[in-house]
Structure formats: structure tokens, C-alpha cells
Amino acid sequence: MIYHGNRFTVKEGVTPEQLEEAMESLRNQGRVIPSVTSFVVGRDYGGEYEWGAIFVIEDLDGYWEYLMHPAHRNTDRVGLPLVEKFVSFDITDDPDPRMAEKIAELHRRRYDSDPELTELVSGLGSYTGSAAPGPHGK
């Protein structure tokens, strides 16, 4: 199993309506992407981030489906412009010693296939995670 997580803090001036649209889009990902077996979206307590989401996915094929699904792309479109600081991470019980490389490669393929997404992520104030594009990946 792969537990894919996102933690983020929004920019100053984001309206409650904008934030709710982004949060609902995250919740929708959990509901409609077939490879997501469970999920949680909500407040992030105990750290430097305000909000978070975790999506449970069975394997790398499901992870790719999750990354490329239109519901995920919608969250990128409505949510990333609101974000100041962002981190994505993955926790897995898969014993494959190359799992981190394989996950990073999925992200690289996605960024390579979507210049608009790469631009959105590159414009974030701070982003860490698998295969972060632009200035964050250096």
C-alpha cells in the first residue's frame, strides 16, 4: 500500500470560498478516483502546515491512475494558485528498495507531460516532494 500525503499552507488573502472549492476538489479525488481505497482531507495539526490530505493507493499502477485522473488535475487547477507552502510525501509498506525512485519517476513523467502543471508547481513559494519541478527540485 502507498499512503500519498499532501500538507499545505494557503496564501494570505485566500477567501473561505476559494479554500472550500479546493478542499472539496481534494475530497472529490478520494470519492471518484477508482484506485483510491480510502482518504482523509482536513486540518493539519502539530506542524507548520494548515491543511492536509492522505490518499491510500494499492500500487504504482493505481498511483499513476491517481496522478493522471481529471479530478486530480482539477485540484491542481483550483488549489495550487492558492498555496504558499506545500509538501507531498509517500509512506509505503512495499519492500521494493527502488520504490522511492519509481514514485519520483511517475511524478517526473506527469510533469513532463503537462507544462501548465509544471508552471503552477514551479510558482509555489515552497514545494518539497517527489521530483519537484523548477527551482524546488534543484
Side-chain angles (χ1 to χ4, degrees), residues 6-7 31 57 64 70 79-80 85 101 112 121-122 127:
N6 300 296
R7 301 174 77 195
R31 291 189 295 263
I57 303 164
W64 182 246
L80 287 174
K85 187 167 50 171
E101 294 170 45
D112 288 349
V121 172
S122 295
Y127 172 52

Side-chain angles (χ1 to χ4, degrees), residues 21-32:
E21 179 183 16
M23 299 302 285
E24 178 53 29
S25 188
L26 279 168
R27 290 187 291 270
N28 188 56
Q29 286 179 206
R31 291 189 295 263
V32 304

Side-chain angles (χ1 to χ4, degrees), residues 102-114:
K102 291 176 180 180
I103 290 172
E105 179 57 29
L106 293 180
H107 285 274
R108 273 191 290 278
R109 281 178 41 208
R110 180 169 180 245
Y111 292 130
D112 288 349
S113 72
D114 191 341

Side-chain angles (χ1 to χ4, degrees), residues 10-105:
V10 297
K11 296 176 181 175
E12 204 172 303
V14 169
T15 68
E17 294 80 16
Q18 289 172 307
L19 179 58
E20 179 51 33
E21 179 183 16
M23 299 302 285
E24 178 53 29
S25 188
L26 279 168
R27 290 187 291 270
N28 188 56
Q29 286 179 206
R31 291 189 295 263
V32 304
I33 299 176
S35 59
V36 174
T37 61
S38 65
F39 69 97
V40 63
V41 174
R43 278 284 195 186
D44 185 329
Y45 296 105
E48 60 187 276
Y49 297 92
E50 299 172 316
W51 303 97
I54 295 180
F55 299 92
V56 181
I57 303 164
E58 192 166 329
D59 56 25
L60 290 171
D61 290 336
Y63 200 122
W64 182 246
E65 176 187 54
Y66 163 84
L67 288 174
M68 297 306 291
H69 196 280
H72 189 267
R73 184 63 181 99
N74 184 68
T75 301
D76 294 332
R77 184 183 58 76
V78 301
L80 287 174
L82 311 178
V83 172
E84 178 61 34
K85 187 167 50 171
F86 182 87
V87 62
S88 67
F89 62 93
D90 298 287
I91 300 170
T92 183
D93 58 0
D94 190 307
D96 183 346
R98 294 190 52 239
M99 184 57 83
E101 294 170 45
K102 291 176 180 180
I103 290 172
E105 179 57 29

